[in-house]
Amino acid sequence: MPIDQPLAAALDVARAAADESAVAGTVGEHLRAVDDGERLVSHHFVCLKRGYIGWYWAVSVSRAPDSEQVTVNDVILLPGDDAITAPSWTPYRERIRPGDLSPGDVLPPDEDDVRLVPSWSAGDGDEQTADRFFAREVGLGREWVLSLEGRESAADRWHDGDQGPEAAIAQQAAGACHSCGFMISLAGPLSERFGVCANGMANDDGKIVSFDHGCGAHSGARLSRAAGNQKLPPPVFDTVGVDEVDHY
């Protein structure tokens, strides 16, 4: 359907409406006339307002059937393809990242969080019955526990993180954590892959570490002969000792 010619020709009416609505001197040259529907056209003008590069003024005009009188519907400022705009709004829950919480902040889990299941529906192992597990968790006051998906997600995150085997410190470690005397064993299904470091001199003290992680503070680490104290030869020019001088 061709553009409505009387409305497309109403350039002066559209510019007058834009000048009236905009700050003086911010309406630039005419860019285009866009067909928005039957007897409905938008005129676009360059925006000259500082900080609005790529934006344009859009003036919507229309007319009644069998009438040549042009009516201005609205004047708005819109971003073009090259305009600088704010990023799309993202809900708070999707923006927050680990470590963002401050004292007093609250981040409740989703109602359908797959990481959690009622305590009566999951156990620590095949050897435990549901009733025994439920009784233990109720005694601890825990209505919800980690689901299998939640446990595997945590295990993957820990294994791939800074306390896993791919960490730079683990690549040059003196030994692996599974053989270190400072590692505290865990209980439950994750005990076969992870422990807690208890070496106060280690970088990971008090953190979950994978068995194949490691560092230079391993309990079995020993200094090599090259790294030990070396006896130095006597100095060529002694500036430390006291010279004995005979006085006559």
Side-chain angles (χ1 to χ4, degrees):
M1 184 176 180
I3 192 171
D4 190 293
Q5 291 302 320
L7 295 178
L11 178 58
D12 293 339
V13 175
R15 178 175 288 279
D19 288 335
E20 181 180 353
S21 300
V23 178
T26 61
V27 180
E29 64 176 311
H30 183 258
L31 294 173
R32 66 188 73 88
V34 179
D35 181 21
D36 293 332
E38 185 177 1
R39 294 183 300 277
L40 185 63
V41 172
S42 291
H43 287 274
H44 297 175
F45 300 89
V46 174
C47 177
L48 302 178
K49 190 174 183 179
R50 295 184 60 185
Y52 284 81
I53 298 175
W55 290 65
Y56 63 90
W57 295 101
V59 182
S60 176
V61 294
S62 62
R63 67 182 181 89
D66 302 325
S67 174
E68 298 295 325
Q69 183 177 355
V70 176
T71 300
V72 176
N73 299 319
D74 54 28
V75 180
I76 56 177
L77 182 61
L78 296 174
D81 295 336
D82 299 328
I84 300 176
T85 59
S88 301
W89 183 81
T90 304
Y92 172 76
R93 180 174 292 278
E94 298 178 15
R95 283 186 281 125
I96 195 168
R97 292 291 179 267
D100 287 348
L101 289 181
S102 300
D105 290 344
V106 178
L107 183 64
D110 294 330
E111 293 184 1
D112 56 350
D113 196 327
V114 298
R115 299 172 301 171
L116 297 172
V117 292
S119 58
W120 54 264
S121 66
D124 273 347
D126 296 336
E127 73 283 356
Q128 290 185 329
T129 64
D131 291 340
R132 178 180 176 185
F133 184 80
F134 176 67
R136 192 192 72 176
E137 295 302 342
V138 169
L140 293 176
R142 296 209 303 168
E143 181 181 356
W144 297 88
V145 295
L146 274 177
S147 64
L148 295 178
E149 292 86 349
R151 292 172 184 169
E152 289 305 313
S153 176
D156 292 341
R157 186 173 63 253
W158 296 343
H159 191 269
D160 297 338
D162 293 338
Q163 283 73 47
E166 300 301 323
I169 195 172
Q171 295 295 311
Q172 303 182 35
C177 291
H178 69 81
S179 61
C180 182
F182 293 107
M183 191 197 72
I184 299 176
S185 299
L186 298 176
L190 297 181
S191 61
E192 299 178 356
R193 289 179 283 175
F194 300 96
V196 179
C197 178
N199 188 342
M201 299 302 294
N203 295 13
D204 299 317
D205 179 42
K207 299 178 181 178
I208 296 290
V209 293
S210 67
F211 280 178
D212 46 4
H213 183 63
C215 71
H218 190 279
S219 61
R222 299 292 184 271
L223 291 176
S224 64
R225 294 188 60 183
N229 294 330
Q230 300 292 321
K231 184 177 181 180
L232 300 178
V236 175
F237 181 69
D238 186 2
T239 60
V240 178
V242 179
D243 297 330
E244 296 183 1
V245 179
D246 296 330
H247 297 277
Y248 297 98

